[in-house]
Amino acid sequence: MLPNLKLALDIRAFESRLLDLFGQGAIRGTVHTCLGQEMTPSLLSSHLGFEDLLFGTHRGHGFFLALTGDFQGLAREILGRLQGVSRGLGGSQHLHEQQVFTNGVQGGLVPVAAGAAAGADGDAIVVAVIGDGTLGQGVLYETLNIAELFGIPLLLVLEDNGIAQSTPQQQTLAGDIRARFEAFAWTYFHASDQNLVDFDSVVRRTVDHVRATRSPSVLHVTTRRLGPHSKGDDNRA
């Protein structure tokens, strides 16, 4: 079996079930699934240790499940149960268990992750996840600057699915993504999740680089979002 494929399939089944439950009225509020993007958290989790921290996004179920394995706790949380990982108060977006934190504010946890990385002990690293829609947030570039100046072990995982909510990337993003990070002297890695063996190799090399050099790097992942942004708000064919 390909690397961590079963975990990715388990996440896919979980996310699909959430959309079913939302359609039945069992889930209130909103729910952002990672359908189509499951391999990034599945592979990344195998290269992180218990001492590492991960700060995720509104689309954070996959990373939460891959690092904690707590499918029941997450399901209870999204259903608003007291036994959920955030006591039923965080819902789909605001999760915390073990070494995983997620939040719905666009780019809001990136500077928090940088602060945590600045205080990381030993060979621990901190991962911050963003989508390509976050490339328009000013706080991201402030963090890129200070992280390089202070030389902190921060790994930024950019899930580039080419669409921000319902707006195609070509309508909002000018210039070259790689050049944005290299302008701040960040080490840049790129991979597509289409070839899982190559993808796993790049993930491993990226994590090893951040851990060994104690300096910031970005892993730019070309992927696709198969489901809607949230529930059914999608104008694609």
Side-chain angles (χ1 to χ4, degrees):
M1 182 173 286
L2 291 168
N4 278 18
L5 183 58
K6 182 183 184 303
L7 175 58
L9 292 172
D10 286 343
I11 295 172
R12 171 72 62 90
F14 182 92
E15 298 284 68
S16 298
R17 180 62 175 149
L18 287 184
L19 292 181
D20 292 340
L21 290 171
F22 189 90
Q24 297 168 19
I27 297 176
R28 297 183 180 183
T30 188
V31 60
H32 299 82
T33 64
C34 65
L35 295 170
Q37 301 179 195
E38 300 91 347
M39 283 312 306
T40 301
S42 298
L43 294 183
L44 181 64
S45 64
S46 65
H47 299 288
L48 296 179
F50 291 112
E51 73 281 5
D52 301 320
L53 299 178
L54 183 140
F55 292 82
T57 68
H58 61 285
R59 200 174 308 284
H61 300 164
F63 290 95
F64 180 89
L65 294 172
L67 284 168
T68 70
D70 192 359
F71 285 75
Q72 280 196 353
L74 179 55
R76 288 168 175 161
E77 179 61 35
I78 295 172
L79 291 168
R81 307 289 173 79
L82 184 63
Q83 300 85 358
V85 297
S86 298
R87 300 184 64 194
L89 301 174
S92 174
Q93 301 182 56
H94 305 98
L95 309 171
H96 167 54
E97 185 178 353
Q98 298 175 31
Q99 75 249 56
V100 183
F101 304 81
T102 73
N103 185 278
V105 178
Q106 192 72 260
L109 285 183
V110 175
V112 179
D121 294 325
D123 65 351
I125 69 170
V126 175
V127 179
V129 183
I130 63 170
D132 55 288
T134 304
L135 293 172
Q137 293 292 329
V139 70
L140 170 66
Y141 299 99
E142 294 176 4
T143 304
L144 296 183
N145 186 59
I146 199 168
E148 176 62 28
L149 287 173
F150 282 85
I152 62 175
L154 177 64
L155 166 57
L156 192 69
V157 175
L158 168 58
E159 294 187 291
D160 183 359
N161 59 27
I163 190 168
Q165 190 159 339
S166 58
T167 304
Q169 185 182 106
Q170 59 266 27
Q171 295 182 17
T172 61
L173 191 67
D176 180 73
I177 291 178
R178 176 172 184 165
R180 293 185 178 218
F181 291 96
E182 292 185 337
F184 292 93
W186 277 50
T187 304
Y188 174 91
F189 296 86
H190 177 265
S192 167
D193 61 7
Q194 291 295 286
N195 185 317
L196 299 186
V197 175
D198 289 347
F199 186 23
D200 186 60
S201 176
V202 175
V203 171
R204 176 184 53 76
R205 287 193 288 113
T206 305
V207 171
D208 288 349
H209 177 81
V210 177
R211 206 180 296 283
T213 64
R214 316 305 293 164
S215 63
S217 297
V218 59
L219 172 60
H220 177 190
V221 180
T222 301
T223 183
R224 93 280 325 128
R225 193 188 77 213
L226 296 179
H229 166 71
S230 169
K231 309 182 293 296
D233 49 347
D234 203 329
N235 54 11
R236 297 176 297 175

